[in-house]
Amino acid sequence: MKNRFEKFFVTSVLVVGGFLVSIPFIWMILSSFKSEREARTMPPTFWPQEFTFEHYINLFQNLNFGTYFMNTMIIVLFAMLGLLFNTMAGYGFAKFKFKGREVVFLCVLATMMIPAQVSMIPVYLLLNQMGLTNTMAGIILPGLIAAFNIFLIRQFMTTIPNDLIESARIDGAKEFRIFFQIIIPLSKPIIAVQAILTFVGAWNSFLWPLIVANDQALYTLSVGLALLQGQHSSSFALQMAGATVMVLPVLFLFLFVQRYIVEGFNTTGIK
Amino acid sequence: MNHKNALTPWLFIGPAVLLLIAFSLLPILVSLLISFTDMNLIGLRNWDVISFVGFENFIALFQDSLFHRSIVNTLVYVSIGVPLVIVCSLSVALLLNYMTNKLFTFFRVLFYVPSITNIVAIAVVWGFLYNMDVGLFNFILNSLGLGKVPWLEHPFIAKISLIILAVWKGIGINMLIYLAALQSIPRSYYEAADMDGANKFQKLRYITIPSLSYATFFVTVTTLIGWLQFFEEPFVMTGGGPLDGTMSMALFIYESGFQYNDFGYAAAASLILFVFIIVATLIQFTFNKSKEN
């Protein structure tokens, strides 16, 4: 039985908890509009006394954030190509019987266990051997495939009826036409979720670009922000502006699509 | 299914499998190989100077006090952080599952957002909040008449500070998994319990928690694996300091490999971390099996 006291209690706990959780974001955004002096005054002001955009202008005019932004977008774009490969592989494992399928699939799953730190040194050495260190290709290639995505997509695709594919084949459709015109539209819920998570992952990519890129022209936003933090360690308002540039796009994206993510978790079978 | 060409499935899985072999499976073998060598920056350019050193890297690691510190710190992160994340995300999920309306949807977004935002940005923001002199946290403590806390300046407190940040970030994704699991518990269980006159805590203890055991298992394994690789927080906020108090195994590997260019040594350390992860995962699986039986 839900009584009014209980409802009031649960809601208040969530309001207090929600406020505590959002303090870092509130403080980040407010501080990014303060002057450097004001961001450091004690006691701190809550609302910026003089609203200023100077830090944002500074980031894009003097600190190369425009370049970092473009690089990040390139990585996001290619991550979507990776998602296409993952989706194809998920379909392949779900809907074809072939020799060695189980073994290959097990190998795919096994790669989920490998920590980033174990593969990063040999992958760096391999890319170095291929002459791809300090190139965009070197940043992009190792991150294209994620075994976890393949696994979830495969789980979803097994629920698509075989008869549907079979009758398309009888009608003479080619395999890739079946994939793009029947399978992908049917898999919208899972692909939507994966696309969002892939975007977020690529947008946030940090460790690998940090290792492979020596040239500032190849830095991503996160690497640029870490650099900013090292070089302008006392410019808090500037750092907060940089952090806001990184956080706000994802925050807005998520506000619009959060419904699909929650639904997606219900369809992906992690229950 | 019938398809005429045996090549067709490979057209679909080919690109993914090739990339996985190149960047996931092959590297494991390479890692194993170079962990027995003295591979460094010079060896990268000229393979002739690389020599096979047997177990030397591993022996040196067992004697390296910084590596010991990194193991102890990582175990502290895991043993405090993992239970905290699980308890917090379960509590939030239970609260959010209480009602469904616009306000609760908004809270769901609020608690999820930290887990998808960029870790570097988060570390930068928390670094500001934790600042000893101009940070918000010390200002609040000061206003309450309490003294300053050296959030990132004391070896042990710095570890706790990083854990607080990582728990804040870790709640979201696990909360969603718990929410999905909570919504799949059949209502009839609770109705039956109501007829038997069970109170709220009995329902939580005997229906809800047991029904969530698979979700808890999934959350524990993934969180444990994630926390054993604790890296970005100390990397951006403390650089492993003060006095190596926040140095984690992952940060140790990164530093030996890419700052001191000691690839063989770093590869050996990474394999030890890999063993930790496998052992932790296996313990989880055995524990889960014995519970099921």
Side-chain angles (χ1 to χ4, degrees):
Chain A
M1 293 302 112
K2 289 174 182 174
N3 57 42
R4 282 178 65 185
F5 169 74
E6 223 176 77
K7 276 185 191 169
F8 177 75
F9 179 73
V10 172
T11 313
S12 338
V13 172
L14 281 174
V15 169
V16 173
F19 176 68
L20 288 178
V21 165
S22 39
I23 284 179
F25 293 123
I26 298 170
W27 204 242
M28 170 188 80
I29 294 171
L30 288 175
S31 304
S32 74
F33 292 112
K34 293 175 184 171
S35 72
E36 206 55 74
R37 191 183 44 76
E38 192 189 341
R40 305 178 61 92
T41 44
M42 275 288 146
T45 51
F46 178 72
W47 200 255
Q49 283 175 326
E50 279 174 69
F51 219 72
T52 173
F53 283 98
E54 66 170 314
H55 307 298
Y56 290 94
I57 297 166
N58 195 5
L59 285 177
F60 284 92
Q61 278 192 347
N62 307 322
L63 292 161
N64 287 330
F65 264 56
T67 313
Y68 304 157
F69 177 78
M70 286 313 292
N71 290 337
T72 308
M73 288 316 289
I74 293 173
I75 295 179
V76 166
L77 210 73
F78 277 95
M80 294 302 156
L81 177 72
L83 178 60
L84 175 68
F85 288 158
N86 288 335
T87 310
M88 280 163 53
Y91 173 63
F93 283 120
K95 288 297 173 195
F96 291 96
K97 280 208 176 80
F98 54 92
K99 227 179 148 194
R101 181 176 73 168
E102 271 69 37
V103 180
V104 178
F105 190 59
L106 263 180
C107 287
V108 170
L109 291 187
T111 60
M112 290 197 305
M113 292 273 299
I114 303 166
Q117 285 79 20
V118 174
S119 48
M120 77 188 175
I121 293 162
V123 169
Y124 180 83
L125 300 183
L126 287 171
L127 287 175
N128 189 59
Q129 216 51 44
M130 293 151 85
L132 290 178
T133 44
N134 205 24
T135 64
M136 212 28 147
I139 295 175
I140 290 163
L141 275 174
L144 281 183
I145 303 302
F148 192 56
N149 292 359
I150 298 180
F151 174 68
L152 291 182
I153 292 167
R154 189 199 86 117
Q155 294 303 89
F156 184 90
M157 297 234 177
T158 47
T159 63
I160 296 173
N162 287 341
D163 298 349
L164 209 66
I165 304 165
E166 209 49 59
S167 58
R169 279 200 188 114
I170 292 165
D171 290 345
K174 292 268 186 302
E175 293 296 334
F176 276 89
R177 196 167 154 197
I178 296 176
F179 177 71
F180 283 106
Q181 291 195 342
I182 299 174
I183 303 299
I184 289 201
L186 279 174
S187 313
K188 256 190 211 148
I190 185 79
I191 293 176
V193 174
Q194 297 297 332
I196 296 158
L197 296 181
T198 304
F199 172 85
V200 172
W203 178 263
N204 289 342
S205 57
F206 171 61
L207 181 57
W208 196 245
L210 176 78
I211 291 172
V212 176
N214 298 323
D215 198 338
Q216 274 206 32
L218 290 172
Y219 280 6
T220 59
L221 281 172
S222 343
V223 180
L225 186 60
L227 181 81
L228 186 75
Q229 200 243 6
Q231 290 179 347
H232 299 259
S233 56
S234 55
S235 315
F236 288 112
L238 180 67
Q239 288 180 39
M240 293 310 112
T244 308
V245 169
M246 286 239 59
V247 167
L248 275 197
V250 174
L251 223 146
F252 276 120
L253 175 78
F254 189 70
L255 275 180
F256 290 115
V257 298
Q258 61 90 17
R259 200 164 54 88
Y260 301 102
I261 295 199
V262 178
E263 278 167 17
F265 265 98
N266 287 329
T267 57
T268 49
I270 321 170
K271 283 184 183 171
Chain B
M1 286 177 74
N2 300 317
H3 47 91
K4 286 161 213 140
N5 198 336
L7 209 69
T8 320
W10 291 98
L11 288 178
F12 282 101
I13 66 168
V17 168
L18 279 179
L19 284 164
L20 269 184
I21 290 172
F23 296 113
S24 284
L25 290 176
L26 188 62
I28 286 285
L29 294 177
V30 177
S31 191
L32 199 62
L33 255 158
I34 54 177
S35 70
F36 293 108
T37 68
D38 60 357
M39 181 86 172
N40 57 23
L41 206 57
I42 305 158
L44 200 58
R45 283 187 222 105
N46 180 7
W47 285 20
D48 298 334
V49 297
I50 307 169
S51 50
F52 183 77
V53 295
F55 284 94
E56 227 167 73
N57 286 326
F58 292 92
I59 294 164
L61 277 170
F62 283 115
Q63 292 162 347
D64 186 337
S65 63
L66 183 59
F67 188 57
H68 297 169
R69 286 298 297 273
S70 78
I71 294 179
V72 172
N73 289 341
T74 303
L75 293 179
V76 172
Y77 290 137
V78 168
S79 52
I80 300 177
V82 176
L84 259 182
V85 167
I86 294 169
V87 168
C88 290
S89 43
L90 177 58
S91 313
V92 173
L94 285 171
L95 287 172
L96 287 174
N97 197 44
Y98 183 76
M99 276 195 281
T100 39
N101 58 34
K102 279 247 151 55
L103 185 68
F104 277 63
T105 310
F106 174 72
F107 282 130
R108 195 170 63 193
V109 175
L110 212 60
F111 282 98
Y112 184 67
V113 158
S115 71
I116 46 163
T117 39
N118 185 282
I119 182 66
V120 181
I122 283 171
V124 166
V125 173
W126 281 72
F128 181 37
L129 294 171
Y130 277 146
N131 188 285
M132 190 137 163
D133 301 313
V134 298
L136 182 67
F137 290 163
N138 272 353
F139 168 73
I140 293 172
L141 289 178
N142 220 10
S143 322
L144 297 171
L146 301 165
K148 282 182 178 177
V149 172
W151 294 105
L152 299 172
E153 285 83 1
H154 180 281
F156 185 72
I157 297 173
K159 265 197 281 283
I160 302 298
S161 303
L162 296 189
I163 290 173
I164 295 172
L165 184 172
V167 168
W168 173 80
K169 185 176 163 56
I171 289 175
I173 184 92
N174 298 316
M175 168 204 88
L176 274 197
I177 292 166
Y178 271 128
L179 265 179
L182 280 170
Q183 281 159 10
S184 70
I185 302 175
R187 297 231 54 83
S188 57
Y189 290 4
Y190 293 103
E191 283 156 15
D194 282 335
M195 289 213 276
D196 292 340
N199 66 31
K200 290 220 146 50
F201 288 103
Q202 286 170 325
K203 281 190 270 187
L204 181 70
R205 167 82 179 74
Y206 295 106
I207 300 174
T208 313
I209 305 278
S211 307
L212 294 176
S213 66
Y214 183 70
T216 304
F217 172 64
F218 182 83
V219 166
T220 315
V221 171
T222 50
T223 313
L224 196 66
I225 292 176
W227 279 73
L228 281 168
Q229 300 177 58
F230 203 66
F231 172 77
E232 279 97 345
E233 292 86 348
F235 179 80
V236 178
M237 292 178 76
T238 58
L243 300 170
D244 306 323
T246 58
M247 176 64 70
S248 67
M249 289 178 81
L251 186 56
F252 178 89
I253 295 164
Y254 173 82
E255 288 197 340
S256 344
F258 295 100
Q259 277 175 355
Y260 307 118
N261 297 312
D262 214 340
F263 296 121
Y265 197 57
S270 77
L271 288 175
I272 294 177
L273 174 62
F274 195 22
V275 170
F276 269 84
I277 290 176
I278 290 176
V279 169
T281 313
L282 284 180
I283 291 173
Q284 283 296 313
F285 270 90
T286 349
F287 184 65
N288 192 52
K289 263 234 173 77
S290 68
K291 229 174 31 183
E292 274 173 7
N293 289 336

